[in-house]
Amino acid sequence: QVQLVESGGGLVQAGGSLRLSCAASGRTVSNYVMGWFRQAPGKEREFVAAISWSGGSTRYAVTVKGRFTISRDNAKNTVYLQMDSLKPEDTAVYYCAADRTVVLTTRRVDYDYWGQGTQVTVSS
């Protein structure tokens, strides 16, 4: 069992930056693919970014590529999402997820563990 806890969400103006953290406990996630998803009111939970076990490979949704950066620190059992040039459309609850497969999947059904989410609100 892996427990994931997100933090770092909040209110930010458009064009600003925010860094989310996801702390894992229970078991090491150094051999897990880690991902970030987000869900806005009335919408399905959508893929944002994923990172491989070693951190050597990443994958991003088209909507955030070039603005968001996913990274991980396996020594701290933590994954991060650096969000720059934020837009009001980025407003959502952001979820951290862990996947035991070796593929950088964008499918939420492939992820085994989920955090409780952290709210990100971007004002105009």
Side-chain angles (χ1 to χ4, degrees), residues 8-49:
L11 176 64
V12 65
Q13 294 184 34
S17 297
L18 210 58
R19 183 176 66 189
L20 306 182
S21 298
C22 174
S25 62
R27 289 177 175 80
T28 178
V29 292
S30 61
N31 59 345
Y32 283 67
V33 168
M34 301 296 295
W36 285 96
F37 288 73
R38 67 186 183 185
Q39 187 167 23
K43 296 185 178 181
E44 297 293 323
R45 191 171 300 186
E46 65 178 7
F47 171 78
V48 175

